[in-house]
């Protein structure tokens, strides 16, 4: 065996230390958040874990919210878990995925729902085959994996959890030793485990718009530091649409943003604080906006703007809001909404 082969084999047998950290310039990792020449330093994992997930390359973070989330992540201690509250499509999950990806943190996603029980977080025993024999082995759930391996534990839409589940998560979100009833063992939180929850509400219970959200007790809610996510402003959404639909003319992308904000005004008020008489229940989120401009292009030049808008949004509007929804669309687009894309492209 040659020296080079021996060296190669030796290196390949060395276990990778996924907990090893390195100091990096903030601008090199988050150029969207830190200006060129900034001396801000961040810590991140030196080696990328197999459970890391690539984030959306088209995602444009809100600078202030992302920086505050980084303050929480970079702090020597996480005194509280992080709660991201905001309306649907404001980028709560995208923000968590973005931070995890850039910092080489594995991310373990728990899709919370009302029928979930504590064992779904912990794991279960499964049957497997070893040496041609059936054996029973332990398989940790996503929350237990995050607790043991480190990384971000993302409790997605955790305001949909039942009272039984939130009671079982008190020690988990507080970072205390966590007993796994399924396995009759107690595990310690990895020093690099970060718990983030996303929610449409602040745990106040039934909401006319988010009818599956449950009320959560104050003891659970007080274990979170809360940041509120918002829909991007006009400039931010313009940058997003330019990434997704650079071939669409600027005037069409701008009109699409105007329509999105007209719906948000009708649903949430001009200040997005809910101060609006008789609000509509449908929300024109950034997710919907991006999908619409994408399908305007995908539907082709011979189909109308209304056809793609019907498919991504209008068909899902409640019957009680349908009439006012059409009024909003007509107010922003007028006759253009019923014209094929080729006619819109011909306009100066």
């Amino acid at each position: 065996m040659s020296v080079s082969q021996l060296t190669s084999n030796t290196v390949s047998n060395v276990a990778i230390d996924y907990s090893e950290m390195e100091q990096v310039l903030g601008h090199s990792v988050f150029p969207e958040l830190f200006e060129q020449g900034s001396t801000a330093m961040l810590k991140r994992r030196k080696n990328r874990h197999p459970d890391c997930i690539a984030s959306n390359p088209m995602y444009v973070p809100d600078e202030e919210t992302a920086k505050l989330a980084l303050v929480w992540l970079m702090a020597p201690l996480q005194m509280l878990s992080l709660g991201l509250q905001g309306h649907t499509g404001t980028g709560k999950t995208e923000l968590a995925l973005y931070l995890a990806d850039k910092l080489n943190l594995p991310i373990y996603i728990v899709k919370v729902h009302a029928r979930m029980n504590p064992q779904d977080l912990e794991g279960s025993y499964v049957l497997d085959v070893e040496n041609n024999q059936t054996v029973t082995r332990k398989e940790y759930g996503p929350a237990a994996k995050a607790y043991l391996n480190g990384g971000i534990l993302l409790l997605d839409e955790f305001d949909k959890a039942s009272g039984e589940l939130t009671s079982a998560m008190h020690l988990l979100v507080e970072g205390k030793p966590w007993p796994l009833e399924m396995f009759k063992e107690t595990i310690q939180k990895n020093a690099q485990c970060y718990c983030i929850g996303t929610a449409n509400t602040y745990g106040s219970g039934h909401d006319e718009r988010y009818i599956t959200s449950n009320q959560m007790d104050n003891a659970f809610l007080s274990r979170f530091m809360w940041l509120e996510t918002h829909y991007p402003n006009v400039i931010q959404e313009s940058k997003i649409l330019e990434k997704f639909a650079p071939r669409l003319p600027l005037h069409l992308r701008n009109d699409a943003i105007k329509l999105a904000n007209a719906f948000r005004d009708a649903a949430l008020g001009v200040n997005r604080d809910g101060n609006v008489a008789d609000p509509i229940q449908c929300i024109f989120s950034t997710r919907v906006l991006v999908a619409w401009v994408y399908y305007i292009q995908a539907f082709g030049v011979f189909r109308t703007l209304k056809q793609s808008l019907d498919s991504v949004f209008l068909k899902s509007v409640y019957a009680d809001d349908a009439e006012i929804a059409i009024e909003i669309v007509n107010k922003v687009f007028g006759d253009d909404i019923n014209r094929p894309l080729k006619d819109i492209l011909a306009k100066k």
Side-chain angles (χ1 to χ4, degrees):
M1 180 181 295
S2 69
V3 174
S4 61
Q5 287 175 316
L6 177 62
T7 303
S8 176
N9 289 340
T10 303
V11 171
S12 65
N13 291 330
V14 174
I16 299 174
D17 181 4
Y18 291 112
S19 65
E20 184 179 0
M21 305 298 287
E22 63 178 352
Q23 292 286 329
V24 293
L25 279 170
H27 174 77
S28 67
V29 181
F30 297 102
E32 308 91 345
L33 306 181
F34 298 94
E35 296 180 356
Q36 181 76 42
S38 169
T39 58
M41 300 295 292
L42 302 175
K43 59 181 181 180
R44 73 167 179 181
R45 284 195 173 187
K46 186 174 182 179
N47 300 302
R48 193 168 176 84
H49 193 278
D51 290 336
C52 289
I53 299 176
S55 57
N56 181 356
M58 300 293 190
Y59 174 65
V60 177
D62 174 75
E63 183 177 329
E64 179 66 6
T65 306
K67 280 187 173 181
L68 288 175
L70 271 176
V71 168
W72 173 81
L73 267 169
M74 293 294 119
L77 295 174
Q78 278 65 51
M79 303 297 293
L80 300 168
S81 290
L82 178 63
L84 298 175
Q85 186 277 335
H87 287 287
T88 180
T90 51
K92 301 179 294 295
T93 303
E94 293 275 24
L95 175 58
L97 289 167
Y98 166 78
L99 294 173
D101 181 24
K102 299 296 185 181
L103 296 173
N104 289 339
L105 287 169
I107 186 164
Y108 302 92
I109 304 173
V110 177
K111 295 295 294 183
V112 179
H113 55 80
R115 297 184 302 279
M116 180 176 282
N117 60 56
Q119 286 70 40
D120 294 324
L121 299 173
E122 299 174 9
S124 62
Y125 287 103
V126 297
L127 296 178
D128 202 354
V129 177
E130 285 184 9
N131 300 322
N132 295 321
Q133 291 187 344
T134 301
V135 296
T136 302
R137 64 178 176 82
K138 184 189 304 182
E139 186 171 281
Y140 289 112
K145 286 181 180 178
Y147 227 61
L148 291 167
N149 298 339
I152 289 180
L153 167 60
L154 179 60
L155 302 172
D156 203 39
E157 298 189 343
F158 76 115
D159 57 340
K160 293 175 170 47
S162 66
E164 178 192 11
L165 185 61
T166 56
S167 295
M169 288 196 293
H170 279 203
L171 294 174
L172 171 67
V173 300
E174 197 172 349
K176 297 289 182 64
W178 183 35
L180 305 182
E181 299 297 334
M182 174 61 67
F183 304 131
K184 306 303 180 186
E185 67 176 286
T186 298
I187 59 177
Q188 302 286 332
K189 178 187 175 185
N190 186 296
Q192 296 175 10
C193 176
Y194 310 93
C195 180
I196 299 178
T198 69
N200 294 130
T201 70
Y202 281 113
S204 56
H206 177 76
D207 183 280
E208 289 186 5
R209 185 169 287 109
Y210 305 110
I211 59 176
T212 58
S213 294
N214 292 321
Q215 185 173 3
M216 294 187 286
D217 65 75
N218 285 330
F220 183 70
L221 295 174
S222 65
R223 287 169 163 83
F224 288 84
M225 181 190 96
W226 292 92
L227 296 178
E228 189 169 347
T229 59
H230 304 276
Y231 293 116
N233 59 39
V234 172
I235 294 174
Q236 290 170 325
E237 283 194 321
S238 181
K239 291 179 181 178
I240 293 170
L241 295 196
E242 187 177 8
K243 284 187 173 184
F244 273 92
R247 291 180 296 174
L248 290 184
L250 179 59
H251 67 82
L252 177 53
R253 299 200 304 263
N254 286 344
D255 284 346
I257 294 171
K258 287 179 185 177
L259 182 63
N261 281 303
F263 272 102
R264 294 165 192 165
D265 290 348
L268 306 171
V270 294
N271 295 319
R272 307 292 182 263
D273 56 2
N275 185 17
V276 56
D278 195 20
I280 61 174
Q281 296 306 308
C282 54
I283 292 284
F284 205 117
S285 67
T286 303
R287 182 190 303 120
V288 171
L289 177 61
V290 168
W292 185 34
V293 298
Y294 175 83
Y295 283 107
I296 287 175
Q297 298 171 107
F299 275 30
V301 296
F302 296 107
R303 292 186 176 88
T304 68
L305 302 183
K306 175 81 162 35
Q307 285 178 279
S308 53
L309 185 62
D310 277 340
S311 296
V312 304
F313 180 68
L314 291 177
K315 293 297 185 184
S316 64
V317 171
Y318 290 156
D320 292 345
D321 290 336
E323 185 176 344
I324 190 169
I326 293 299
E327 290 178 4
I328 292 172
V329 172
N330 290 335
K331 184 176 180 180
V332 174
F333 273 90
D335 294 337
D336 283 354
I337 197 66
N338 292 309
R339 290 177 177 166
L341 178 58
K342 67 180 180 64
D343 291 354
I344 306 299
L345 295 176
K347 293 178 65 174
K348 296 295 184 181

